[in-house]
Amino acid sequence: MSPEEFRRFGHEVVDWIAGYLARPEDYPVLAQVEPGQLRSQLPTSPPERGQPMSEILEDFERFVVPAVTHWNHPSFFAYFATSASAPGILGEMLSAAFDAKAMLWRTSPASTELEEVALDWLRQLMGLPAEFGGVIYDTASVATMHAVAAAREALNLHVREDGMSGRADLPLLRLYASEQAHSSVEKSLIALGLGQRSLVKVPADASFRMDAAALKHLIEEDRRAGMLPFCVVATVGTTSTTSIDPVPAIADVCEREGLWLHVDAAYAGSAAVVPELRRVLEGCERADSLVTNPHKWLFTPFDLSALYSRRLDVLRRAFALTPEYLRTPEQDAVRNGSDYGVQLGRRFRSLKLWMILRYFGHEGLAALIREHCRLARLFAGWVEASPDWELLAPVPLSVVCFRARPSVEGETDGARAARLDALNERLMTAVNATGEIFLSHTKLHGAFTLRLAVGNIRTNESHVRRAWELLNEKLSDISNEG
Ligand SMILES: *Cc1c(COP(=O)(O)O)cnc(C)c1O
């Protein structure tokens, strides 16, 4: 593509993005397509000859856009709502242009050093101790896998050299996480060859927080059975309800038992940027590692996950491996990103984070997150005030777990539970089919639970109000249909 052509289509694409970000509400938030619809509209084999960019962009608009679910839509309330903020998108564009493979310092000094600077800034914003060094990965799932690998390396069992298979000298290693922990914890154990048998699910209390007394008891029981406890994963902001595990009490247990403490703060770490919410990370200064996802609630385009650890040397020991062709004269004086994980090449992700932290500043970020929490509390207040609805979990941050519960005379408990599950599932399907809002669900104490997650940069009170109206309209439609 000639520079002139690139300039022309570059401007066209930026104009398109600007229009899109100005009016994401022109699109249904949840793609209203059937499985296979996009595939059936496109040729089954690639073109023999190159095609004009103008045609490609036309087809992008005609076929691709309708099959997009719009995470940038202000009424995206499903899972965790996220945003690709403008400075982040600009950072991504520039990073794509450099196409750096930041495996060694010299292959992208800018990427390596901006990563250190941006992660240290973010560490300060969250109030974590200066001993915490950071590494950027793509996702929290991958960051947690590396943290668990470091926890295993810290045991000095020569797993790096000898592996785990065929070894009679190894007891069963055990990792503890609450029953509310994210599935990525279990996947880490699968990926690292520890197996699901290594996971101990610690019971949670009525507010979905890990029971630290049960944790202590389970560790003692495992030790008596000859197993080897090595790691605890605490969650600050669980995926279902955003509950916050009692990290200070868990850190006490880890300290006494000599276990690696990893904190999964993928979503809620960002809340600590708000001074009055900093307490969500209470006790985390004692953790060995902690992951937070700026791509979740810090307005950073996917992907960017930050792993912090006071023991990055252990992580490095687990993964550093330098073949001759990657040796450099400066290697002992610099950080080489590929030493900290399984990936060799690494994207220049730090650029967008650095731009975002500068563009919004501490105050700007805190104001957005504070407002999201206010909107969630507002919605929760409406739920509490209505006899037809109920909250199913506390609302510590920006997610509301709730359900409709219209009453029916003389019903057994079992019949009521089944009726409400079916009703709420129908309600979710009905509101999502409008394309106006997008909600997802979870199960709490066995009950089908609706989740409203506020986190998009464009979400304001009108969107939350409309979601509440729409839910009530659909509830009354369903009730009238019987
Ligand atoms: C979202 C989430 C994850 C997984 O995040 P990815 O970056 O998509 O891997 C892990 N843990 C918690 C608590 C989460 O909310």
Side-chain angles (χ1 to χ4, degrees), residues 150-161:
R152 180 175 64 182
E153 180 65 23
L155 293 171
N156 294 316
L157 292 173
H158 299 279
V159 172
R160 176 189 161 115
E161 296 79 9

Side-chain angles (χ1 to χ4, degrees), residues 80 138-142 182 184 235 237-239 264 266-267 293 295-296 302 305:
F80 282 111
D138 52 359
T139 58
S141 305
V142 167
H182 192 264
S184 57
T235 312
T238 57
T239 311
D264 179 356
Y267 153 76
N293 273 355
H295 72 223
K296 221 163 217 167
F302 194 77
S305 181

Side-chain angles (χ1 to χ4, degrees), residues 34-339:
E34 297 301 322
Q37 186 170 318
L38 173 61
R39 233 176 23 224
S40 73
Q41 289 171 313
L42 299 177
T44 51
S45 49
E48 203 51 47
R49 295 220 187 87
Q51 299 179 327
M53 200 62 210
S54 53
E55 236 172 76
I56 301 170
L57 290 175
E58 271 169 38
D59 286 353
F60 159 77
E61 184 124 33
R62 184 143 57 122
F63 299 121
V64 178
V65 176
V68 170
T69 287
H70 295 282
W71 288 75
N72 281 308
H73 194 295
S75 297
F76 188 110
F77 296 117
Y79 315 108
F80 282 111
T82 64
S83 329
S85 64
I89 294 171
L90 295 174
E92 279 285 25
M93 285 169 64
L94 292 169
S95 147
F98 291 130
D99 189 30
K101 266 59 71 176
M103 57 222 196
L104 303 173
W105 176 84
R106 67 163 54 186
T107 62
S108 184
S111 173
T112 305
E113 296 190 16
L114 261 189
E115 180 163 336
E116 291 173 297
V117 170
L119 287 187
D120 197 62
W121 286 5
L122 178 59
R123 174 194 67 73
Q124 293 173 46
L125 293 181
M126 295 194 300
L128 290 170
E131 309 90 81
F132 277 40
V135 183
I136 294 177
Y137 294 100
D138 52 359
T139 58
S141 305
V142 167
T144 289
M145 185 195 79
H146 284 91
V148 174
R152 180 175 64 182
E153 180 65 23
L155 293 171
N156 294 316
L157 292 173
H158 299 279
V159 172
R160 176 189 161 115
E161 296 79 9
D162 301 334
M164 300 188 76
S165 65
R167 287 180 66 175
D169 63 320
L170 284 186
L172 181 64
L173 271 60
R174 297 278 262 181
L175 177 148
Y176 306 79
S178 107
E179 57 192 13
Q180 293 290 321
H182 192 264
S183 53
S184 57
V185 177
E186 190 162 343
K187 280 202 186 178
S188 298
L189 296 172
I190 297 170
L192 293 168
L194 286 150
Q196 288 164 295
R197 209 155 61 99
S198 283
L199 176 63
V200 184
K201 291 192 178 177
V202 183
D205 66 16
S207 299
F208 310 101
R209 304 155 30 120
M210 187 195 287
D211 176 343
L215 168 69
K216 181 169 172 286
H217 180 74
L218 287 164
I219 293 169
E220 286 163 2
E221 215 171 64
D222 280 357
R223 284 214 197 275
R224 276 198 297 276
M227 298 174 190
L228 181 57
F230 78 108
C231 183
V232 177
V233 178
T235 312
V236 170
T238 57
T239 311
S240 274
T241 71
T242 75
S243 60
I244 296 164
D245 284 343
V247 176
I250 294 168
D252 286 344
V253 174
C254 289
E255 233 162 64
R256 206 169 35 241
E257 298 282 344
L259 308 188
W260 184 289
L261 172 57
H262 174 62
V263 176
D264 179 356
Y267 153 76
S270 297
V273 167
V274 185
E276 69 271 22
L277 292 176
R278 207 171 243 195
R279 59 181 156 71
V280 300
L281 291 185
E282 188 191 353
C284 293
E285 70 285 352
R286 297 164 64 193
D288 295 282
S289 55
L290 176 145
V291 62
T292 186
N293 273 355
H295 72 223
K296 221 163 217 167
W297 201 11
L298 212 67
F299 318 108
T300 305
F302 194 77
D303 47 12
L304 197 163
S305 181
L307 179 74
Y308 288 98
S309 178
R310 58 173 72 255
R311 303 172 74 182
L312 281 186
D313 55 313
V314 180
L315 179 64
R316 190 173 179 285
R317 204 167 76 208
F319 289 106
L321 190 64
T322 311
E324 182 54 37
Y325 50 85
L326 293 178
R327 287 192 187 286
T328 64
E330 71 274 13
Q331 66 185 20
D332 294 329
V334 295
R335 180 200 269 204
N336 289 323
S338 56
D339 285 350

